[in-house]
Amino acid sequence: MPTRIYLCLLVFLLTISLFSQSRFNAGASFNIGFPTGSFSDLAKTGIGGSAIGEFAFSEQVSITLSASYQNFPGKGEGFAAQGEVYDFSVNAIPLLAGVRYYFSEEFFGSFEAGANFFRVTADIYDVYSEEKVSTDYEVKYGGGIGAGYRYRLAEP
């Protein structure tokens, strides 16, 4: 299922880039995720990356589409039960649409909303083997606000 979503997103971004000329920007980012609420009791700070497409309506307002991958390692070194050691991690794939407002040519604020696909993975070790068990992806809906800096690699 996620492969189909990525393919549709790629086709959509390529179509926009062909027809929008210089009004379309593409980029990538490195992400740091800070767990909050009860999730922070289970997971450490996560890292990941994003692919971002942006279509500008004016000099100050644009819409964005982004696809990301985040990995949140479990807190602690794992725990042992019945001769096996369990180590957990949580993977997240957020697919978000948003609006950016540019305060200047480089600095912006953003609001995003969309679907987040979560999966819990457990690495199970014992003396004789290593096993990896994963849940199916579960969808949660959410949003966020942010701020950023845009660095142009080439002049328009």
Side-chain angles (χ1 to χ4, degrees):
M1 174 78 173
T3 305
R4 211 177 311 167
I5 292 171
Y6 292 135
L7 184 59
C8 290
L9 182 64
L10 178 65
V11 169
F12 179 73
L13 291 174
L14 288 174
T15 304
I16 287 176
S17 68
L18 291 174
F19 292 111
S20 63
Q21 297 165 357
S22 66
R23 298 179 77 179
F24 180 79
N25 295 310
S29 68
F30 173 76
N31 302 334
I32 298 175
F34 299 104
T36 60
S38 60
F39 186 51
S40 66
D41 295 335
L42 304 172
K44 297 178 186 176
T45 302
I47 60 170
S50 296
I52 304 164
E54 177 182 13
F55 182 77
F57 287 108
S58 68
E59 291 290 321
Q60 292 182 310
V61 178
S62 64
I63 61 169
T64 61
L65 290 173
S66 67
S68 305
Y69 177 80
Q70 291 275 121
N71 183 40
F72 296 92
K75 277 196 172 173
E77 295 300 316
F79 64 91
Q82 298 179 352
E84 296 179 330
V85 177
Y86 296 85
D87 190 15
F88 291 95
S89 66
V90 177
N91 302 338
I93 300 174
L95 300 174
L96 304 170
V99 175
R100 282 187 180 175
Y101 180 80
Y102 285 89
F103 302 107
S104 68
E105 192 172 321
E106 298 91 13
F107 292 100
F108 62 86
S110 66
F111 173 77
E112 295 179 313
N116 293 284
F117 299 87
F118 290 99
R119 178 178 69 186
V120 177
T121 303
D123 293 326
I124 304 169
Y125 306 97
D126 66 13
V127 175
Y128 305 107
S129 67
E130 177 181 334
E131 182 181 357
K132 185 174 275 229
V133 178
S134 298
T135 64
D136 289 334
Y137 279 101
E138 185 176 326
V139 179
K140 300 290 183 183
Y141 300 97
I145 58 172
Y149 177 82
R150 175 176 64 182
Y151 178 76
R152 290 186 185 264
L153 295 175
E155 291 299 318

